[in-house]
Amino acid sequence: MAERAALEELVRLQGERVRGLKQQKASAEQIEEEVAKLLKLKAQLGPDEGKQKFVLKTPKGTRDYSPRQMAIREKVFDVIISCFKRHGAEVIDTPVFELKETLTGKYGEDSKLIYDLKDQGGELLSLRYDLTVPFARYLAMNKLTNIKRYHIAKVYRRDNPAMTRGRYREFYQCDFDIAGQFDPMIPDAECLKIMCEILSSLQIGDFLVKVNDRRILDGMFAICGVPDSKFRTICSSVDKLDKVSWEEVKNEMVGEKGLTPEVADHIGDYVQQHGGVSLVEQLLQDPKLSQNKQALEGLEDLKLLFEYLTLFGIADKISFDLSLARGLDYYTGVIYEAVLLQTPVQPGEEPLGVGSVAAGGRYDGLALEEKVRTTETQVLVASAQKRLLEERLKLVSELWDAGIKAELLYKKNPKLLNQLQYCEEAGIPLVAIIGEQELKDGVIKLRSVASREEVDVRREDLVEEIKRRTSPALCIC
Amino acid sequence: MAERAALEELVRLQGERVRGLKQQKASAEQIEEEVAKLLKLKAQLGPDEGKQKFVLKTPKGTRDYSPRQMAIREKVFDVIISCFKRHGAEVIDTPVFELKETLTGKYGEDSKLIYDLKDQGGELLSLRYDLTVPFARYLAMNKLTNIKRYHIAKVYRRDNPAMTRGRYREFYQCDFDIAGQFDPMIPDAECLKIMCEILSSLQIGDFLVKVNDRRILDGMFAICGVPDSKFRTICSSVDKLDKVSWEEVKNEMVGEKGLTPEVADHIGDYVQQHGGVSLVEQLLQDPKLSQNKQALEGLEDLKLLFEYLTLFGIADKISFDLSLARGLDYYTGVIYEAVLLQTPVQPGEEPLGVGSVAAGGRYDGLVGMFDPKGRKVPCVGLSIGVERIFSIVEQRLEALEEKVRTTETQVLVASAQKRLLEERLKLVSELWDAGIKAELLYKKNPKLLNQLQYCEEAGIPLVAIIGGCPKRRPCGRNQKENKPGPLHLLS
């Protein structure tokens, strides 16, 4: 009994040690080491079955919804959903967990906040972190090219509530997205119209929607002289302008992030500006900015957007704000954020934005384009001319003997185009092309299906080259 | 490379070994041992980070809901929720996972079907297995002594789909429960009334609600001579009577479960009976059964229940069925199960129940398990099997070839000529501001025909065409005009 109590105390202390290290943002290896120690200690305690402890609580960062909270939630959802429906959106739902590999590599640094399920002998699963990646998976799985959908569901993030006060680990997300190739800016305008309709109907006070464009930011930083490598970190400084003064932001950019004061000042000339469509037109006349191709694209699109927003009757709620810069990881075009306004203390002052209540933007590159592969074939053995079946059979056999997953078409004289197309459909990454001239030279043309690059490889080096290119650690197909 | 391939092959083989053992219902220890071996092998393969395979699928036993399925789901939930609200129920919601210790020890053998979360250095968590245990936890946590609540949410069970065809691992449960100390059988009767109202409103066919009582079963087995230790296993045999013959059930009880033929026969005398309140009265006269205190309690309560059900106008849908015996782990009193009826093949035959669509009962001891002082809060409730109902409704709509709309758009704002985008944008915005559900195509100069086709596909009933004079024009094969005016020729 005393042993168990001592063990439980050790577990408690080790748990605190781990928490402490995480708070101090210690190195990942150190944290992992201490977590492993913790798990070992817990394992010694044995299974939980016999414990008679009555701990009546919900897990950290989660909560029940009482009937009163549910009544409020229902009212809010009713407003939001009837707006989505009014705009002709369909609704979908996805499972609460995804295959771990579906979520892997999509969230960058935030990946450590994903809840994993225990490996109980089946597939590795993780709780969804947002609704956007499941949406991309849904589109790819169903081969959809366009859909207007909303999705309201809970998502899960292992945030540390001590760090970010009031942040839940289980919380609702309420997403609306339009996927598809359409005439420019009309869907983007509808998204803003929806945002305004919802915030008005909820009657939670006056609000403002800030709008900017990824391309304008990119172009602006370029002409100001910000190195590409510093783009994201400068963005996060600029984004603080809604909370702190320009002086502070400039100090951070120069003092901590290594920009010269001149470059910082140049940025400041732009990012402190906000206004309506007149600001767009002013910047279109800006000699430097209008020379930058990206920025020009962004500005032209914003100009068109403002035309539509005027027709939608919401232009007065929209502010083109060059300091809007956060959440840029996957946005490719227009970005927007709605903030509630606090009545100003001094009359004549501008209302202060007090926190974002909605946000979004255009993200054209996120859709999961990876094929659903049903085979693991690494290379197709192909021929460029006729009467090379014998050679193909010999080569494919060599590859099989070397443990390489290879195929050939069951045709005596297949056309090269058909063989290449077969690769595209089946997701085969490499083609080994046999040609008459190449045979004489003792080489095989190795072609990457994705990049279409071809290189001549000596016959005796082919196996090794294929293995090198298809090894799991280094996929450069 | 060859080593990795060999390792992957070993993992694959070991995975099959584990699956095989589970199918053969091998002992838990054996399965655990082989699973541990599997995990060790997988660990040797290394982390998944570098794997470039993108398999686009949902996890085993789960599925997305397409807009069509969502439309069906919404219709079904609307019926169910409006019934709950009509009966004055509040609604709550709880987190998708609970502390592992909250769920531990509540589900008996089924505990192995619980999804655990990985130990990532914090609390040990598990996905909820049902909505009843979270409810009991909610009551205890908030020290509530009474509440009438419904809760509709997904629950998670690591079932083996190969064993139980069509069984999902993530599925909706739709629970209604009344907690609190009240005069006997009134809440129980309301639960049955709700069940009948919902199943009638859903229009999924005729149904029957079987009713029994845990105390009657206990008493019945006792007087038949079943040892306490065999109670649960005999229950599960008896419960099969809705699917197989008495002969088969008897053989199982005698051949596999060790009852004497006499005891089995004695059980058979009772469990093959079903009827209305008259059967209750008959059994109250049964010399042996009425001597058993428990059985007597149960019978008296059922008699009272039938009185209330008659007043509620649903007695004709209720059948007192002594073979209803499953899911007895935490039930303490009345239990019930609703089955859909298949029209009989031979006239005069009784309709065949083809699967349960709702079930429930009284469970007075569950909340006490959560309360440190063991305070009991009596509960009675029901659970609607909505997944089953979704597929029935889906099939029914398909059979009727009824179109299921996935949007509620009332009117498409269209243009008959070019360069009318501005007008369309203005008009659709007017309609939205007036609360009308409207859409427009995201094209500057769409062809009218395409716009009309879009309406056909989406089931949008009206088009507002801007082109010279705007007019309303109903879609569909019936091309009658609603307003007088010149016909616009389609280009």
Side-chain angles (χ1 to χ4, degrees):
Chain A
M1 267 304 278
E3 285 169 17
R4 188 175 179 86
L7 205 46
E8 282 174 345
E9 180 63 9
L10 280 175
V11 167
R12 192 187 67 75
L13 288 168
Q14 184 65 11
E16 281 187 16
R17 187 181 173 75
V18 167
R19 273 185 289 279
L21 286 172
K22 285 180 177 175
Q23 268 179 345
Q24 298 156 32
K25 295 206 169 200
S27 77
E29 296 90 18
Q30 203 181 354
I31 292 177
E32 220 180 287
E33 203 183 294
E34 298 298 325
V35 166
K37 282 187 196 165
L38 176 63
L39 293 179
K40 254 186 161 175
L41 283 170
K42 281 188 175 183
Q44 288 181 48
L45 268 179
D48 290 299
E49 303 294 327
K51 275 216 307 224
Q52 292 296 323
K53 227 166 38 154
F54 290 99
V55 184
L56 285 177
K57 61 192 223 34
T58 52
K60 188 175 184 182
T62 70
R63 55 166 174 146
D64 296 320
Y65 283 80
S66 70
R68 183 177 146 67
Q69 291 163 323
M70 288 298 284
I72 292 169
R73 183 171 113 179
E74 196 181 333
K75 281 199 200 351
V76 173
F77 281 164
D78 275 352
V79 167
I80 295 173
I81 291 172
S82 69
C83 180
F84 290 155
K85 285 181 168 178
R86 193 160 59 246
H87 286 257
E90 299 178 301
V91 60
I92 68 167
D93 197 9
T94 63
V96 79
F97 42 62
E98 296 276 343
L99 295 177
K100 190 172 154 73
E101 55 191 280
T102 300
L103 304 186
T104 303
K106 308 290 185 308
Y107 302 105
E109 269 193 18
D110 289 343
S111 295
K112 62 185 187 298
L113 300 180
I114 296 176
Y115 276 99
D116 289 328
L117 267 72
K118 185 173 167 183
D119 187 340
Q120 289 169 289
E123 299 164 322
L124 290 182
L125 308 170
S126 300
L127 296 184
R128 64 186 169 214
Y129 185 83
D130 66 6
L131 301 178
T132 306
V133 170
F135 178 47
R137 192 231 352 107
Y138 179 87
L139 289 177
M141 238 173 97
N142 294 283
K143 296 181 174 39
L144 295 172
T145 51
N146 62 290
I147 185 174
K148 191 192 307 191
R149 81 93 183 77
Y150 69 93
H151 186 186
I152 300 178
K154 292 182 190 165
V155 299
Y156 300 86
R157 301 187 184 179
R158 286 180 70 241
D159 258 327
N160 188 349
M163 308 298 286
T164 43
R165 213 170 296 281
R167 195 84 83 98
Y168 286 108
R169 290 182 163 188
E170 177 191 61
F171 59 96
Y172 265 104
Q173 276 202 332
C174 196
D175 283 16
F176 171 93
D177 293 85
I178 301 170
Q181 184 72 41
F182 303 110
D183 284 351
M185 302 320 279
I186 310 177
D188 312 56
E190 185 167 17
C191 283
L192 286 161
K193 175 67 174 166
I194 284 170
M195 212 183 248
C196 290
E197 279 179 20
I198 289 174
L199 295 177
S200 298
S201 308
L202 286 173
Q203 297 183 309
I204 43 179
D206 285 334
F207 62 92
L208 177 74
V209 182
K210 303 183 198 175
V211 161
N212 198 357
D213 192 295
R214 172 68 188 260
R215 297 161 291 177
I216 295 174
L217 272 164
D218 279 355
M220 178 177 76
F221 286 165
I223 64 164
C224 288
V226 178
D228 279 354
S229 59
K230 291 203 199 292
F231 175 74
R232 204 175 277 168
T233 185
I234 295 303
C235 268
S236 79
S237 295
V238 160
D239 190 65
K240 294 179 183 173
L241 264 177
D242 61 346
K243 294 187 190 60
V244 305
S245 69
W246 166 245
E247 285 312 307
E248 282 190 61
V249 172
K250 176 178 172 179
N251 284 338
E252 186 182 274
M253 296 202 295
V254 174
E256 290 175 38
K257 306 203 173 173
L259 291 190
T260 69
E262 292 75 35
V263 170
D265 280 332
H266 206 172
I267 294 175
D269 289 338
Y270 287 115
V271 300
Q272 293 183 85
Q273 301 194 64
H274 56 84
V277 67
S278 51
L279 176 58
V280 181
E281 278 156 5
Q282 181 190 314
L283 290 175
L284 276 166
Q285 304 303 317
D286 182 294
K288 291 209 209 99
L289 207 53
S290 56
Q291 292 302 318
N292 181 283
K293 186 161 175 268
Q294 272 193 303
L296 195 63
E297 258 182 46
L299 287 165
E300 297 281 11
D301 273 353
L302 278 198
K303 183 165 174 211
L304 184 57
L305 179 68
F306 265 100
E307 280 175 35
Y308 296 155
L309 297 179
T310 306
L311 292 166
F312 278 163
I314 56 171
D316 59 327
K317 295 240 174 343
I318 315 291
S319 168
F320 172 29
D321 190 328
L322 282 156
S323 73
L324 176 62
R326 78 174 169 155
L328 281 198
D329 280 44
Y330 53 59
Y331 290 126
T332 55
V334 64
I335 51 177
Y336 33 82
E337 183 184 26
V339 293
L340 289 182
L341 299 173
Q342 210 177 46
T343 355
V345 180
Q346 306 293 344
E349 258 187 24
E350 273 191 37
L352 189 66
V354 283
S356 158
V357 282
R362 174 162 285 282
Y363 55 104
D364 288 345
L366 188 65
L368 296 182
E369 285 148 5
E370 291 81 20
K371 275 192 181 338
V372 183
R373 287 202 62 184
T374 54
T375 65
E376 298 181 5
T377 307
Q378 298 161 306
V379 57
L380 182 82
V381 173
S383 49
Q385 291 104 18
K386 292 187 173 187
R387 282 184 292 280
L388 286 169
L389 174 61
E390 218 179 277
E391 296 302 324
R392 280 192 290 133
L393 292 172
K394 275 197 285 187
L395 181 55
V396 79
S397 184
E398 256 184 66
L399 299 180
W400 287 333
D401 289 346
I404 292 172
K405 300 176 186 117
E407 287 186 64
L408 83 167
L409 260 60
Y410 298 131
K411 268 186 100 58
K412 280 187 290 202
N413 299 307
K415 292 193 180 18
L416 184 59
L417 187 62
N418 290 345
Q419 292 168 97
L420 294 178
Q421 237 166 341
Y422 178 81
C423 287
E424 299 235 9
E425 282 159 11
I428 301 172
L430 294 171
V431 206
I433 309 175
I434 303 170
E436 278 159 11
Q437 185 56 45
E438 287 82 0
L439 277 176
K440 294 199 184 89
D441 297 338
V443 296
I444 303 283
K445 247 193 217 328
L446 191 58
R447 177 188 171 107
S448 160
V449 174
S451 70
R452 300 193 180 170
E453 279 170 24
E454 288 180 352
V455 65
D456 285 343
V457 179
R458 297 209 57 79
R459 179 67 176 252
E460 54 269 26
D461 298 331
L462 184 64
V463 167
E464 200 183 298
E465 180 63 17
I466 292 173
K467 285 188 177 179
R468 188 182 72 80
R469 289 198 191 199
T470 57
S471 85
L474 181 75
C475 206
I476 54 169
C477 301
Chain B
M1 270 295 279
E3 284 169 22
R4 187 175 179 86
L7 205 45
E8 284 173 346
E9 180 64 8
L10 280 175
V11 167
R12 192 186 68 74
L13 287 169
Q14 185 63 12
E16 283 189 13
R17 185 178 175 77
V18 167
R19 273 184 289 279
L21 285 173
K22 285 181 179 175
Q23 267 178 344
Q24 297 157 31
K25 294 203 172 212
S27 76
E29 296 89 19
Q30 200 180 353
I31 291 176
E32 219 183 288
E33 203 184 294
E34 298 298 323
V35 167
K37 282 189 198 166
L38 178 63
L39 294 179
K40 254 187 158 175
L41 284 170
K42 280 188 176 184
Q44 288 180 49
L45 271 179
D48 289 297
E49 299 300 324
K51 273 221 303 231
Q52 292 297 325
K53 220 171 34 163
F54 289 103
V55 185
L56 290 174
K57 63 191 216 42
T58 52
K60 188 176 185 181
T62 70
R63 56 172 172 141
D64 296 320
Y65 284 80
S66 69
R68 186 168 188 283
Q69 292 164 323
M70 289 297 283
I72 290 169
R73 186 171 112 180
E74 196 182 331
K75 281 194 204 337
V76 172
F77 282 161
D78 275 352
V79 168
I80 294 174
I81 291 172
S82 69
C83 180
F84 290 154
K85 286 181 167 177
R86 192 160 58 245
H87 286 255
E90 299 180 299
V91 61
I92 68 167
D93 197 10
T94 64
V96 81
F97 42 61
E98 296 275 344
L99 294 177
K100 189 170 155 72
E101 54 191 279
T102 300
L103 304 185
T104 302
K106 308 294 185 306
Y107 302 106
E109 272 193 13
D110 288 345
S111 296
K112 63 183 186 297
L113 300 181
I114 296 176
Y115 276 99
D116 290 326
L117 267 72
K118 184 175 170 180
D119 188 340
Q120 291 170 287
E123 298 165 324
L124 289 183
L125 308 169
S126 300
L127 296 184
R128 64 185 169 214
Y129 185 84
D130 66 7
L131 301 179
T132 306
V133 168
F135 177 49
R137 193 239 337 116
Y138 178 88
L139 289 177
M141 228 170 105
N142 294 283
K143 296 184 173 42
L144 295 173
T145 53
N146 64 289
I147 186 175
K148 190 192 305 190
R149 82 95 184 76
Y150 70 92
H151 186 187
I152 300 178
K154 290 181 190 163
V155 298
Y156 300 86
R157 302 185 183 181
R158 286 182 68 242
D159 257 328
N160 189 348
M163 306 299 284
T164 43
R165 211 169 298 279
R167 195 85 81 98
Y168 288 109
R169 290 182 162 187
E170 174 192 62
F171 58 97
Y172 265 103
Q173 275 202 334
C174 195
D175 282 16
F176 171 93
D177 294 83
I178 301 171
Q181 185 69 44
F182 303 110
D183 285 351
M185 303 319 279
I186 310 177
D188 312 53
E190 185 168 18
C191 284
L192 286 160
K193 175 67 173 166
I194 284 169
M195 211 184 250
C196 291
E197 276 181 17
I198 288 175
L199 294 177
S200 299
S201 307
L202 286 171
Q203 296 182 308
I204 43 178
D206 286 332
F207 62 91
L208 177 74
V209 182
K210 302 182 199 175
V211 160
N212 197 357
D213 193 295
R214 172 69 188 262
R215 297 160 292 176
I216 295 175
L217 271 164
D218 278 356
M220 179 177 75
F221 286 166
I223 64 165
C224 289
V226 178
D228 279 353
S229 57
K230 290 199 199 292
F231 175 75
R232 204 175 279 167
T233 184
I234 295 303
C235 266
S236 79
S237 295
V238 160
D239 190 64
K240 294 180 182 174
L241 264 178
D242 61 345
K243 292 184 190 61
V244 305
S245 71
W246 166 244
E247 285 311 308
E248 281 189 61
V249 171
K250 178 178 171 180
N251 284 338
E252 186 181 276
M253 294 201 296
V254 174
E256 289 174 40
K257 306 204 173 174
L259 291 189
T260 70
E262 292 76 34
V263 169
D265 281 332
H266 206 170
I267 293 174
D269 288 338
Y270 286 115
V271 300
Q272 291 182 88
Q273 302 192 65
H274 56 85
V277 66
S278 51
L279 176 58
V280 181
E281 278 158 5
Q282 182 190 313
L283 291 175
L284 275 166
Q285 303 303 315
D286 182 295
K288 292 211 210 96
L289 208 51
S290 56
Q291 292 303 317
N292 181 283
K293 185 161 175 269
Q294 272 193 301
L296 194 63
E297 258 182 47
L299 287 165
E300 297 282 11
D301 274 352
L302 277 198
K303 183 167 174 208
L304 183 57
L305 179 67
F306 265 100
E307 280 175 38
Y308 296 151
L309 297 179
T310 306
L311 294 167
F312 278 163
I314 56 171
D316 58 327
K317 295 243 177 339
I318 314 293
S319 168
F320 172 30
D321 190 326
L322 281 155
S323 73
L324 176 62
R326 79 179 169 151
L328 281 196
D329 280 44
Y330 49 59
Y331 290 127
T332 55
V334 65
I335 51 178
Y336 33 81
E337 181 184 77
V339 292
L340 289 183
L341 299 172
Q342 209 176 45
T343 357
V345 181
Q346 307 293 345
E349 258 187 27
E350 274 192 38
L352 189 66
V354 280
S356 154
V357 281
R362 174 163 286 284
Y363 52 106
D364 288 345
L366 187 63
V367 180
M369 284 175 71
F370 286 91
D371 189 295
K373 298 214 172 97
R375 271 183 289 243
K376 281 173 72 157
V377 178
C379 295
V380 65
L382 62 101
S383 189
I384 309 278
V386 279
E387 296 286 345
R388 195 86 218 290
I389 291 172
F390 293 156
S391 50
I392 292 171
V393 171
E394 219 171 336
Q395 279 168 26
R396 191 185 74 197
L397 290 173
E398 246 164 78
L400 296 174
E401 290 182 6
E402 254 186 55
K403 194 171 151 74
V404 178
R405 284 201 62 186
T406 55
T407 64
E408 299 181 6
T409 307
Q410 298 160 307
V411 56
L412 183 83
V413 173
S415 48
Q417 290 106 23
K418 292 187 172 187
R419 284 184 290 279
L420 287 170
L421 174 62
E422 219 180 272
E423 297 302 321
R424 279 192 289 133
L425 291 172
K426 274 199 286 192
L427 180 55
V428 78
S429 186
E430 257 184 66
L431 297 181
W432 288 332
D433 290 345
I436 293 171
K437 301 178 189 128
E439 288 187 67
L440 84 166
L441 261 61
Y442 297 130
K443 271 190 97 59
K444 284 188 287 208
N445 299 306
K447 291 193 178 16
L448 184 61
L449 188 61
N450 290 344
Q451 292 169 95
L452 295 177
Q453 231 170 338
Y454 179 83
C455 288
E456 287 260 359
E457 283 159 11
I460 302 172
L462 294 173
V463 205
I465 308 176
I466 305 171
C469 0
K471 67 185 171 77
R472 278 174 352 141
R473 180 202 170 98
C475 264
R477 299 190 193 103
N478 187 354
Q479 302 272 320
K480 279 213 267 262
E481 296 294 332
N482 267 16
K483 278 187 178 178
L487 258 178
H488 284 261
L489 291 176
L490 300 176
S491 54

